[in-house]
Amino acid sequence: MGQDIIFDLIEKEKQRQIKGIELIASENFVSEEVMKAAGSVLTNKYAEGYPGRRYYGGCEVVDEIEQIAIDRAKELFGAEFVNVQPHSGAQANAAVFLACLNPGDKVMGLDLAHGGHLTHGSSVNFSGITYSPVFYRVNKEDGRINYEEMAETARKEKPKMIIVGASAYSRDYDYKKFREAADEIGAILMADISHPSGLIAKGILNDPMSYCDIVTTTTHKTLRGTRGGMIMLGQDFENPFGQKTPKGELKMMSQILDSAVFPGTQGGPLEHIISAKAVTFKEALSDEYLTYIVQVLKNAQALSKALIERGFEIISGGTDNHLMLIDLHNKNITGKAAEKALGKADITCNKNMIPYDDKSPFITSGIRFGTAAVTTRGLKEEDMIKIADFVNEVVADPENEAVLAKIKTEVNSLMNSRPLFQW
Ligand code: DSN
């Protein structure tokens, strides 16, 4: 029997990753160790439950692994409680919703069209289907969160939970303002830090832990780890919902969240992925990672500046984190067309709605860039200027196959000089 075509396709994808410029803000490249753990024999193990209290035998080793993952995540984020089992950020958020809300309860998040996330109340997602979403937005003038409108909407709508976090917002958050808005109406405050979690862990951005009741994140974006999610509490607290333990004591929020992950929303945890999370956290605790994440920010600011110098309009005028959202109106090209043309030149990014967009989510007026992945490839500020030039040339002449082919050659040559994948 010949080799399964799947392995040929994996090799093809590997070559695509090696030769292109990866600007998708939610992607990154993991280390050899993270990859080894994710592809290990731990995939064979069922371990429903938690370390020391499982529903299967033979869990002694995975118990140790999961506990190490929990302990490292606690150290990395200064959290008192961590659940490392969510398979993804969406799963982590679903568990928090289950823990804190009843079907139909109101929840307030940043509008998806203003940079928010699908799981923060979008009408096509469980969060908007099962619960009643209301939204806050960014200002049209400066692209920054309108904190006054957010507080006013909270006062008027009285959501049971407020969510801070986004997938296309390039500025830091004023968590204190969200805390005040939540306290005024007795709402739970949740932060989804999936995008900037690496910058937060290393103290480069404001820390949500002391302001937000519950914090969720993915592990594969700026954190540079395996795909996955987790839930954290800066400090555990008595749940405000009245659920009691069999002994009649009020359950702690950590207990409710654990139950909401398993058995609430998931079955067996992916112990191979949990082991890869543990490796990720060890790497993120290192000084090497600090150097990396500082460079991610420097690169984002260099790319944003170089794009602005070439006439691109960046929403909010720049970035505090690893990403930027570009309004393409003045370049007379849609997000969809720009994504396609850049793709032909081996520059991968995604079309993205911009705030107050006049186009549909399938067309869009914007594109989103992030620097987490290119920084892992070893690119520095001077390379960001080259990338801005490539993008500028492609966007100026998106139908010109000769131009696209020329840029593609230059992109491949730049990336061939930055090796990836030793395995
Ligand atoms: N889809 C991810 C992103 O690209 O931001 C978030 O889940």
Side-chain angles (χ1 to χ4, degrees):
M1 203 168 70
Q3 174 169 272
D4 188 332
I5 187 175
I6 290 299
F7 295 99
D8 298 332
L9 290 171
I10 290 172
E11 183 55 32
K12 203 169 162 188
E13 169 61 13
K14 185 172 167 183
Q15 294 311 319
R16 188 195 69 79
Q17 291 185 15
I18 287 171
K19 68 182 185 170
I21 290 178
E22 183 53 73
L23 291 180
I24 293 181
S26 45
E27 293 189 13
N28 212 328
F29 301 105
V30 301
S31 70
E32 186 173 0
E33 287 72 25
V34 169
M35 192 77 87
K36 257 189 204 161
S40 70
V41 294
L42 297 170
T43 192
N44 299 330
K45 188 72 197 102
Y46 247 117
E48 285 179 8
Y50 290 99
R53 46 197 171 100
R54 305 279 190 184
Y55 289 85
Y56 291 82
C59 288
E60 298 78 14
V61 177
V62 293
D63 272 5
E64 271 191 66
I65 289 170
E66 189 167 332
Q67 194 56 52
I68 290 171
I70 292 168
D71 292 342
R72 287 179 182 171
K74 283 183 182 174
E75 186 184 346
L76 184 60
F77 286 97
E80 189 181 337
F81 161 84
V82 179
N83 185 310
V84 293
Q85 291 193 1
H87 304 327
S88 67
Q91 290 290 113
N93 291 349
V96 174
F97 274 65
L98 184 71
C100 299
L101 304 174
N102 292 313
D105 277 350
K106 251 183 213 173
V107 57
M108 182 171 87
L110 179 62
D111 193 333
L112 180 60
H114 287 232
H117 189 254
L118 200 62
T119 58
H120 299 178
S122 161
S123 62
V124 292
N125 180 259
F126 81 89
S127 56
I129 294 169
T130 312
Y131 306 94
S132 306
V134 291
F135 297 102
Y136 57 94
R137 299 176 304 165
V138 301
N139 294 313
K140 197 165 189 175
E141 307 72 49
D142 64 7
R144 292 174 187 247
I145 288 171
N146 185 333
Y147 286 95
E148 276 171 28
E149 188 201 57
M150 179 276 295
E152 188 50 42
T153 307
R155 220 168 277 133
K156 188 166 141 240
E157 299 284 353
K158 297 194 174 30
K160 200 171 163 191
M161 184 164 79
I162 298 176
I163 304 173
V164 195
S167 56
Y169 185 64
S170 65
R171 295 302 178 178
D172 203 354
Y173 299 93
D174 187 337
Y175 294 106
K176 188 160 174 275
K177 289 212 170 99
F178 279 100
R179 180 74 265 167
E180 285 163 1
D183 282 347
E184 214 181 304
I185 55 166
I188 293 269
L189 183 60
M190 164 191 157
D192 178 344
I193 61 167
S194 292
H195 268 274
S197 53
L199 293 144
I200 289 170
K202 299 314 254 190
I204 291 167
L205 291 175
N206 293 335
D207 189 352
M209 284 294 169
S210 53
Y211 290 107
C212 301
D213 300 302
I214 304 172
V215 178
T216 62
T217 185
T218 52
T219 47
H220 51 272
K221 299 185 174 87
T222 50
L223 214 44
R224 205 174 60 179
T226 187
R227 299 192 77 88
M230 65 176 169
I231 305 174
M232 301 179 276
L233 297 176
Q235 274 193 315
D236 203 359
F237 57 97
E238 268 187 8
N239 86 79
F241 314 118
Q243 292 103 316
K244 302 252 171 71
T245 65
K247 286 186 189 156
E249 292 157 349
L250 213 51
K251 279 190 184 169
M252 297 301 283
M253 198 63 206
S254 54
Q255 294 175 290
I256 297 180
L257 286 168
D258 273 349
S259 304
V261 174
F262 170 81
T265 48
Q266 293 187 172
L270 309 177
E271 291 296 341
H272 54 307
I273 296 301
I274 288 172
S275 75
K277 287 176 186 169
V279 178
T280 300
F281 302 147
K282 184 169 184 199
E283 290 177 2
L285 282 161
S286 70
D287 289 343
E288 182 278 329
Y289 180 82
L290 175 62
T291 307
Y292 159 73
I293 204 72
V294 166
Q295 190 63 46
V296 168
L297 180 60
K298 283 185 190 165
N299 282 351
Q301 293 183 336
L303 181 57
S304 151
K305 182 167 173 281
L307 287 167
I308 290 168
E309 284 166 0
R310 284 152 186 77
F312 285 88
E313 286 185 5
I314 309 281
I315 301 292
S316 88
T319 181
D320 297 331
N321 57 31
H322 62 299
L323 66 80
M324 65 214 69
L325 186 56
I326 300 153
D327 178 349
L328 292 168
H329 274 108
N330 68 336
K331 297 285 182 183
N332 296 317
I333 185 170
T334 65
K336 184 179 177 186
E339 178 193 301
K340 189 171 168 207
L342 288 165
K344 285 187 182 173
D346 281 350
I347 298 172
T348 316
C349 69
N350 64 282
K351 62 178 180 276
N352 212 105
M353 297 268 284
I354 56 165
Y356 305 94
D357 209 327
D358 52 1
K359 300 191 182 67
S360 78
F362 298 105
I363 307 293
T364 82
S365 302
I367 41 174
R368 184 186 66 162
F369 288 165
T371 55
V374 286
T375 307
T376 300
R377 292 296 297 269
L379 268 55
K380 297 267 169 41
E381 288 96 319
E382 57 272 23
D383 302 306
M384 298 303 117
I385 295 168
K386 286 182 201 151
I387 294 178
D389 279 334
F390 294 153
V391 171
N392 196 27
E393 272 196 73
V394 169
V395 164
D397 213 353
E399 308 284 340
N400 188 332
E401 296 295 334
V403 167
L404 301 184
K406 177 189 85 95
I407 302 289
K408 182 178 151 98
T409 306
E410 290 178 38
V411 165
N412 296 158
S413 150
L414 174 66
M415 298 322 286
N416 280 336
S417 70
R418 313 298 168 115
L420 178 67
F421 302 125
Q422 272 74 51
W423 60 95

